[in-house]
Amino acid sequence: MANLDQDFRDLLDAFLVRSGTSGRRFGLEALNDPGFVASLRKGRQLGLRTTDRLLAFMGFAPLGPAFRREVEAFLGETGTKGYVLGEFVLNDPSFVDRLRRGASFRLATVERVRAWMAGEASDPARAAMRAAVAGVPLLGGGDDCAQQHGDPTMNELDDPFLSTRRAAAVLGLSPRTLDRYRASGDGPAYHRFGARIVYRRADLHDWAAARRVPAAGEGGPGGGPETLPGAGR
């Protein structure tokens, strides 16, 4: 299941690194709040309206309109009534009406609704939902969203930095295992930005390549059997 708050923090951290912007400056220029990034890293939760304001500042497509399109695609393809969706997921039959009027909901609420729709959607509905959020990184470009919509081939965020969770998925490990490797010094190279730990995809590939075990009988550079040091002496 997606964690949109965490995904947004990952996107923001990568933006700060690429742009060379400090967290204080970003918060001041984007929200007139120099302490915003610090509060976000301490667990501050975001709503759709604030998220879209920040995404626009960074040059990304807004999340709110795409989420509304996704909901409408689900309702249209499945024939589900809006009040039924709201009642089942949030115990709030007015949810869809308020969403259509532009109400702002927390990202955790967006996650709950998306997870429920993904579980109830038919194949045509999933296709329509994917089309509705295409081009929106937090909804249409992440690996978690692809898993929710049943399509593992969708691209991940076009971002050079990955969170521990995403890096672990690339390597086929659990985040906890990657945490242990980092503590022991046995894991791939990583970057520390304040309290955040992120990985470059190239470093993950280099680390994995260094642990390649040749197949039995695999030839050396000359194409013949590989000669081990000291062999024949």
Side-chain angles (χ1 to χ4, degrees), residues 148-182:
Q148 282 187 359
H149 287 174
D151 185 353
T153 66
M154 295 178 68
N155 293 328
E156 296 180 351
L157 289 174
D158 184 15
D159 201 318
F161 294 101
L162 303 176
S163 66
T164 297
R165 177 169 54 86
R166 283 202 169 97
V170 169
L171 295 171
L173 303 173
S174 71
R176 182 172 296 180
T177 296
L178 200 53
D179 288 339
R180 289 200 303 269
Y181 283 170
R182 189 168 60 247

Side-chain angles (χ1 to χ4, degrees), residues 5 16 20 22 39 45 48 50 59 71 74 83 93-94 106 110 118 141 160-161 163 176 190 193 213 220 230:
D5 281 294
L16 295 178
S22 68
S39 67
Q45 293 187 331
L48 281 172
T50 299
V71 170
F74 171 83
Y83 72 86
S94 68
R106 287 188 174 185
V110 175
F161 294 101
S163 66
R176 182 172 296 180
Y190 62 91
F193 304 129
V213 178

Side-chain angles (χ1 to χ4, degrees), residues 9-90:
R9 288 193 288 271
D10 293 344
L11 193 67
L12 173 59
D13 283 338
F15 173 83
L16 295 178
V17 172
R18 286 198 305 268
S19 64
T21 305
S22 68
R24 180 179 177 83
R25 178 184 171 190
F26 177 88
L28 188 61
E29 293 183 354
L31 297 175
N32 197 29
D33 178 4
F36 167 75
V37 172
S39 67
L40 189 68
R41 288 170 174 164
K42 291 178 181 177
R44 175 175 174 176
Q45 293 187 331
L46 293 175
L48 281 172
R49 190 170 293 119
T50 299
T51 301
D52 282 352
R53 184 175 173 183
L54 296 168
L55 288 172
F57 182 86
M58 293 187 287
F60 294 108
L63 185 152
F67 175 57
R68 295 182 188 100
R69 293 194 301 269
E70 186 179 37
V71 170
E72 296 295 351
F74 171 83
L75 297 177
E77 290 291 335
T78 63
T80 304
K81 300 296 184 183
Y83 72 86
V84 173
L85 184 155
E87 181 71 35
F88 269 84
V89 184
L90 304 171

